[in-house]
Amino acid sequence: MAVFSGEVQLSTRGDSDVIDITPDVQRVVADAPVDDGVVTAFVRGSTAAITTMEFEPGGISDLRALLDRLVPVEGDYEHNRLNRDTNSHAHQRASLIGSSEQVPVTGGRLVLGTWQQLVLIDFDDRPRDRTVIVQVVS
């Protein structure tokens, strides 16, 4: 088994900023000496998430609206009270979506659907610099 690791550095706007990381992850896969395997993209931090979706304005708007209904920004959050903080909603949203995704790799390419992209969502209430760890295993 071979493992190849890389990183993607991003700056986000926070507040449910959605960024298509598919090209960045594909660049790491292309640099790996791997034709077939699986890639994992993992974001460091407890207020951001990675998932797959159709990266288009309507889908992004719908996802934001869904998360606003499920986990409102304003709420009676113990985390905010105990830590004199304002981002409990970001922690909760990130835990629902998850910090990583795995995608098969065939012929050195990500195997994604036609309208499927890997996206990072930053739920924090301020801009952040994010690191995505990318590991390719074959």
Side-chain angles (χ1 to χ4, degrees), residues 34-95:
V34 172
D35 285 327
D36 298 308
V38 65
V39 63
T40 301
F42 171 84
V43 62
R44 286 185 181 149
S46 61
T47 57
I50 294 178
T51 191
T52 62
M53 67 180 296
E54 183 176 359
F55 182 73
E56 57 85 25
I60 292 167
S61 178
D62 292 342
L63 178 62
R64 286 179 178 146
L66 170 68
L67 290 166
D68 282 343
R69 288 190 304 272
L70 290 174
V71 185
V73 172
E74 300 297 325
D76 185 27
Y77 295 114
E78 192 69 12
H79 169 84
N80 290 348
R81 228 181 346 270
L82 291 174
N83 297 292
R84 300 183 196 280
D85 212 342
T86 58
N87 69 349
S88 183
H89 70 285
H91 291 282
Q92 305 315 311
R93 290 176 180 193
S95 68

Side-chain angles (χ1 to χ4, degrees), residues 4-8 21-41 103-111 118 134-137:
F4 180 84
S5 297
E7 291 187 359
V8 174
I21 61 170
T22 309
D24 301 307
V25 173
Q26 181 58 57
R27 274 192 286 281
V28 174
V29 169
D31 289 342
V34 172
D35 285 327
D36 298 308
V38 65
V39 63
T40 301
V103 178
V105 173
T106 300
R109 305 279 315 156
L110 296 171
V111 181
L118 274 167
V134 180
Q135 284 197 322
V136 186
V137 178

Side-chain angles (χ1 to χ4, degrees), residues 105-135:
V105 173
T106 300
R109 305 279 315 156
L110 296 171
V111 181
L112 292 166
T114 302
W115 307 113
Q116 185 179 33
Q117 288 82 38
L118 274 167
V119 297
L120 178 137
I121 310 167
D122 191 334
F123 297 114
D124 215 335
D125 56 4
R126 60 190 165 89
R128 299 288 304 258
D129 291 327
R130 297 291 184 177
T131 300
V132 176
I133 307 301
V134 180
Q135 284 197 322

